[in-house]
Amino acid sequence: MRFLFSLLLAGLLAGCVTQDKRHSMIVSVPEQRMLLLDEGRAVGVFPVSTSKFALSDRPGSKGTPLGRMKVAAKIGGGAPAGAVFKSRRRTGEVLAPDAPGRDPIVSRILWLQGTEARNRNAYGRYIYIHGTAEERTIGRPASFGCIRMKSRDVIALYSIVGVGAAIEVIDGPLPVIPLLNPPSGGE
């Protein structure tokens, strides 16, 4: 009986999760950059790495799917930068950026769910936005379908966007939207 009550409570709480309708992201595959928006205003741009194989949602393609998706789950809050994840669970290992010979998922995971027919397989293919130990590859296509980021960037993104935040992966340039608080330069 206690088990059934726990399942019912978990289901009710899952339905009560507030969806993030405020934040959105646009990923430009040709530019290998992500634009972060807050209510349509640009608040940040991050270098990323998409698939080195293809733009595809086909299972087994190792491609990055195009189109509109949303953040379905967030995994790794509170983990240290470089914390290694296997099957969405921490292994206990922590890697420094560009650790030789390794290419695990690190730091944070934002699991994506497709919202269009052309990316309906994204969730089942485990397409994530995640940190990579291979930070030297950020800025060029190098992933196996996911959207990779530097650990410090994915940690910052994770702290801003919530479950339900929209993301669109495009095969074109980012739109020109001035940053809300651009860094000051000069004197």
Side-chain angles (χ1 to χ4, degrees), residues 2 4-5 26 31 49 58 65 67 73 75 123-125 140:
R2 179 183 284 163
L4 290 175
F5 177 75
I26 303 171
E31 294 178 358
S49 179
R58 196 179 82 254
I75 301 160
Y123 186 83
R125 291 182 54 222
R140 65 181 189 266

Side-chain angles (χ1 to χ4, degrees), residues 30-169:
E31 294 178 358
Q32 295 293 293
R33 294 187 315 147
M34 173 192 289
L35 177 64
L36 174 61
L37 303 163
D38 182 346
E39 296 181 335
R41 296 181 311 255
V43 293
V45 178
F46 302 98
V48 298
S49 179
T50 60
S51 175
K52 63 183 171 182
F53 297 100
L55 294 175
S56 176
D57 189 47
R58 196 179 82 254
S61 68
K62 299 180 185 171
T64 299
L66 290 170
R68 292 185 305 273
M69 294 174 269
K70 66 180 182 178
V71 175
K74 292 174 56 176
I75 301 160
V84 175
F85 289 84
K86 177 93 172 153
S87 300
R88 294 161 307 283
R89 290 189 168 84
R90 285 188 57 197
T91 66
E93 186 178 16
V94 177
L95 294 177
D98 295 317
R102 302 287 309 282
D103 187 20
I105 292 170
V106 300
S107 301
R108 301 288 185 278
I109 299 170
L110 292 99
W111 194 349
L112 303 180
Q113 180 178 13
T115 61
E116 301 177 313
R118 67 178 171 163
N119 55 35
R120 68 180 173 274
N121 296 313
Y123 186 83
R125 291 182 54 222
Y126 306 102
I127 299 298
Y128 310 140
I129 299 170
H130 66 79
T132 181
E134 290 190 336
E135 291 192 359
R136 67 189 170 281
T137 66
I138 297 298
R140 65 181 189 266
S143 83
F144 292 82
C146 291
I147 299 164
R148 296 178 177 182
M149 298 180 77
K150 293 180 179 181
S151 284
R152 71 173 180 262
D153 293 343
V154 77
I155 290 169
L157 181 69
Y158 185 100
S159 71
I160 296 168
V161 304
V163 169
I167 177 167
E168 185 168 10
V169 179

